[in-house]
């Protein structure tokens, strides 16, 4: 198994790509430390992990709040005895065209999608340095390709790539690797309506001929998080069916 007894903190673990990553990592022997906004979806995730014979701990947090994030991450680390791997997956995706965007809309996305990455990575990194572990941040094709109506989101995700590349250089000597996975359109609750409205037009742009499934993103995350990727740091894997060829 690729992640035997590795303690993996996953933000956004209650649903979508985060939940699927928890499941795939539990199959690889990981202990899951699941974090998210609401308890009910985290409990469902924990139940699924248990059905696979795995072990998990859960905590609710708002990643936009540094103190709350740090407290929850410290509590999870205390329960599990440490953190080896962080998968930072939580984000919001709220439409607002730039010319109409209010400062409040801009700030809300930046505070969750960009400041949230700081809050989570900064709180978890002492544990990961101690474990000489790894970090995978889930960014987006939109950071590279652009996405009308989502300038705040695209800017945040591009910033997380820059953060990752710099931390790969800062923390490489401490034995920590940091990488990103940039999904293209993937079928989750976040994108259900967009896909329902435009399935055919997405399919026309996808060389692989299908819309991405959470498992396909989770597989890239598992690989980067594991020792199979021991010579890979500061990189982005574009898991996007070929829509954008980075
Ligand atoms: N689905 C796609 O097409 C797609 C494409 C590119 C990138 N992504 C990225 O993949 C990741 C997962 O997206 P998904 O499709 O599974 O979406 P999702 O909406 O199903 O999951 C997002 C998760 O983030 C959590 N979250 C949001 N705000 C939070 C906050 N303030 N504090 C704590 N948790 C919070 C939610 O509770 C949820 O569990 C995100 O980073 C998203 O930007 C998704």
């Amino acid at each position: 198994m690729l992640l035997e007894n590795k303690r993996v903190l996953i933000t956004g673990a209650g649903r979508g790509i985060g939940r699927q990553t928890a499941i795939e990592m539990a199959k690889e022997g990981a202990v899951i430390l699941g974090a998210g906004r609401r308890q009910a979806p985290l409990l469902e995730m924990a139940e699924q992990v248990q059905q696979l014979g795995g072990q998990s701990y859960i905590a609710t947090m708002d990643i936009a709040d540094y103190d709350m994030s740090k407290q929850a991450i410290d509590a999870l680390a205390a329960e599990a005895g440490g953190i080896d791997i962080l998968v930072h997956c939580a984000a919001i995706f709220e439409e607002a065209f730039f010319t109409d965007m209010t400062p409040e809309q801009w700030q809300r996305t930046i505070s969750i999608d960009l400041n949230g990455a700081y809050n989570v990575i900064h709180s978890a990194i002492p544990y990961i340095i101690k474990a000489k572990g790894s970090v995978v941040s889930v960014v987006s094709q939109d950071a590279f390709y652009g996405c009308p109506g989502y300038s705040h989101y695209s800017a945040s995700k591009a910033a997380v790539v820059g953060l990752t590349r710099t931390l790969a250089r800062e923390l490489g000597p401490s034995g920590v690797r940091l990488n990103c996975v940039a999904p293209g359109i993937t079928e989750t609750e976040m994108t259900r309506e967009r896909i329902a409205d435009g399935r055919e037009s997405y399919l026309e742009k996808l060389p692989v001929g299908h819309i991405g499934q959470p498992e396909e993103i989770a597989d890239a995350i598992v690989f980067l998080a594991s020792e199979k990727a021991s010579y890979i740091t500061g990189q982005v894997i574009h898991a996007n069916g070929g829509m954008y060829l980075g």
Side-chain angles (χ1 to χ4, degrees):
M1 287 197 281
L2 283 179
L3 299 170
E4 186 100 57
N5 296 325
K6 295 290 182 195
R7 296 150 300 185
V8 185
L9 171 63
I10 305 176
T11 62
R15 66 181 216 187
I17 292 167
R19 178 176 315 188
Q20 197 62 44
T21 302
I23 291 166
E24 301 305 328
M25 288 190 151
K27 289 181 194 163
E28 293 294 341
V31 175
I32 306 301
L33 282 57
R37 253 179 321 195
R38 293 183 299 122
Q39 194 173 30
L42 291 172
L43 286 170
E44 284 173 19
M45 178 279 294
E47 172 89 38
Q48 281 180 288
V49 166
Q50 196 181 14
Q51 280 166 11
L52 291 165
Q55 191 187 359
S56 67
Y57 304 90
I58 60 167
T60 55
M61 65 165 97
D62 176 357
I63 62 164
D65 181 323
Y66 183 86
D67 291 340
M68 192 193 288
S69 301
K70 182 165 170 21
Q71 223 170 38
I73 289 169
D74 285 343
L76 284 170
E79 278 187 286
I83 302 172
D84 299 286
I85 292 167
L86 166 63
V87 177
H88 177 50
C89 193
I92 56 165
F93 180 68
E94 294 179 351
E95 187 173 65
F97 282 83
F98 190 69
T99 47
D100 301 326
M101 189 184 287
T102 63
E104 290 73 26
Q105 286 173 312
W106 174 263
Q107 288 299 345
R108 177 173 152 75
T109 290
I110 297 296
S111 69
I112 296 174
D113 292 1
L114 174 53
N115 296 343
Y118 166 78
N119 296 340
V120 167
I121 296 172
H122 193 259
S123 299
I125 210 73
Y127 300 105
I128 292 166
I129 290 172
K130 194 167 174 203
K132 294 191 188 302
S134 66
V135 176
V136 180
S137 293
V138 181
V139 293
S140 172
Q141 169 179 288
D142 299 349
F144 302 88
Y145 193 60
C147 184
Y150 296 89
S151 55
H152 45 4
Y153 175 81
S154 307
S156 301
K157 295 296 194 179
V160 174
V161 174
L163 173 68
T164 299
R165 289 188 165 156
T166 293
L167 293 184
R169 292 188 189 278
E170 277 190 28
L171 299 175
S174 304
V176 177
R177 295 182 302 103
L178 299 98
N179 292 289
C180 295
V181 171
I185 187 76
T186 306
E187 253 177 312
T188 67
E189 280 178 59
M190 182 180 265
T191 48
R192 185 182 296 151
E193 275 176 38
R194 287 174 78 81
I195 292 171
D197 292 346
R199 182 174 292 275
E200 289 311 313
S201 82
Y202 281 123
L203 289 174
E204 279 166 21
K205 295 182 200 137
L206 282 163
V208 298
H210 70 271
I211 290 177
Q213 298 303 306
E215 294 84 336
E216 297 179 282
I217 310 303
D219 284 345
I221 296 170
V222 169
F223 166 68
L224 281 178
S226 79
E227 278 305 300
K228 288 271 181 201
S230 57
Y231 200 46
I232 302 177
T233 195
Q235 303 295 325
V236 180
I237 289 188
H238 295 272
N240 63 20
M243 188 191 285
Y244 163 77
L245 300 171

